[in-house]
Amino acid sequence: MKGKDETQLDVFVAAAHELKAPLVLLRHLAQSLNEDEDLTDAERRQNLLRLSFTTDRMMRLVQQLTLSYRLEQDGQAQFNFQLEPLSITEVCDQALHELTPYAKEYNQELRLRGRHCPHLVLANRDILHDIVVNLVDNAIRHNQKGGVVDVSSFCRGEQVRLQVHDSGLGVLPSELTNLRRTIGRQAQPLSGRAGSSGLGLYIVGQLAEAMGGGLGLGRTQNGTTFFVDLLRSRQLSLL
Amino acid sequence: MNILLVEDDSWVAECYLSWLTKAGHLVKWVRSAQAALDAFDEDKVELVILDVMLPLHNGIQVLHNMATHDDMLDVPVIVCSSNIPPEDLWWSEYGVVAVLDKTSLKRHKLLAAIEGARP
């Protein structure tokens, strides 16, 4: 198990790495807009849209890094997340609605399964929203061309499992055992997700843990499934 | 030129595709090392533009495979990455004619490197 200082150093290095890819993209897009005299109106609009999406993603990452640092420093006990009974379907629906134009730009379809799931989770709305956005964003960017990202939830005893599945390249079988043990506990790159430092998953793991849950790696055949287990609320949904 | 572009980030790849096709090149774009290997068998490739950080098997693996592939032995490679490995001394042994840093890459630099790679 790594110490706090070592973990923070890993996160620092991962953050520098993680910001590099969107910065490279921003630079290329801006360069095309500035210097490419042959750009059609449609290409110009597309580049501007991608600039905007990429900037949003970087903003999210920077905000979550701040939160991650505070969680690491102060511990979740100091944090006082306000937990409330929430419809996981409603939070997912909202996040997917927001991400749909972004997914479209990547030629990806987003699907929410199990809309009938009546179970409520005990969670913080903003944090749960961040978790869904992180996992789905990750899946969108690493999925195969024209792929589908499936989001689903189901009950497991006293917990509700939120799953995000993509049909991308998955991970190497040789990595699986170690990954299942360490996922969400440290920033670590995944073989199927080139250019990614695994920082987003580490932050998801931290956020889930702060709400009494955890991150895991599920089925890996035909893609990758990440799941987050959350506390189930005893309150019944009226929906 | 018939160019094989190996780049896993689709938006970055589409930027390069736009630059290259407007300069008159024919480009096939693949996102993984395995897809690059498949393309060596299927297509006539005159130049490879290769990212190093690829999913599952990285760009160095592609270079190793090119070295054992008869049709690809003399095909020049431009490495284009934001994480250039330090072992740059052996690039030329793998037919790498230019190593470009993505973080400071400009369109004219890429096009100049392609011109420089022509036999």
Side-chain angles (χ1 to χ4, degrees), chain B residues 2-71:
Chain B
N2 287 311
I3 297 176
L4 177 67
L5 170 64
V6 191
E7 165 62 59
D8 73 299
D9 187 315
S10 53
W11 288 359
V12 170
E14 284 176 27
C15 267
Y16 297 163
L17 276 169
S18 168
W19 296 350
L20 298 173
T21 51
K22 283 176 183 171
H25 298 292
L26 290 171
V27 188
K28 175 166 184 168
W29 162 45
V30 296
R31 295 178 68 182
S32 67
Q34 184 56 52
L37 300 182
D38 294 342
F40 295 160
D41 293 324
E42 292 162 10
D43 302 289
K44 176 177 160 36
V45 178
E46 293 173 294
L47 173 82
V48 177
I49 297 176
L50 180 66
D51 189 8
V52 175
M53 300 290 283
L54 296 169
L56 298 188
H57 303 288
N58 64 27
I60 309 298
Q61 189 68 47
V62 175
L63 291 175
H64 283 302
N65 280 295
M66 282 180 72
T68 59
H69 198 293
D70 287 345
D71 294 339

Side-chain angles (χ1 to χ4, degrees), chain A residues 5-24:
Chain A
D5 287 347
E6 208 179 343
T7 303
Q8 281 181 356
L9 185 62
D10 285 351
V11 169
F12 178 79
V13 173
H17 182 82
E18 197 75 31
L19 286 167
K20 210 190 260 183
L23 280 170
V24 164

Side-chain angles (χ1 to χ4, degrees), chain A residues 39-68:
Chain A
L39 273 191
T40 63
D41 284 348
E43 285 173 324
R44 194 171 293 279
R45 273 196 303 275
Q46 184 180 59
N47 280 7
L48 284 169
L49 192 63
R50 290 178 176 187
L51 264 171
S52 165
F53 285 140
T54 307
T55 312
D56 287 349
R57 185 156 72 82
M58 289 178 71
M59 284 301 294
R60 274 202 306 272
L61 179 61
V62 170
Q63 282 164 355
Q64 288 172 9
L65 270 172
T66 312
L67 183 58
S68 164

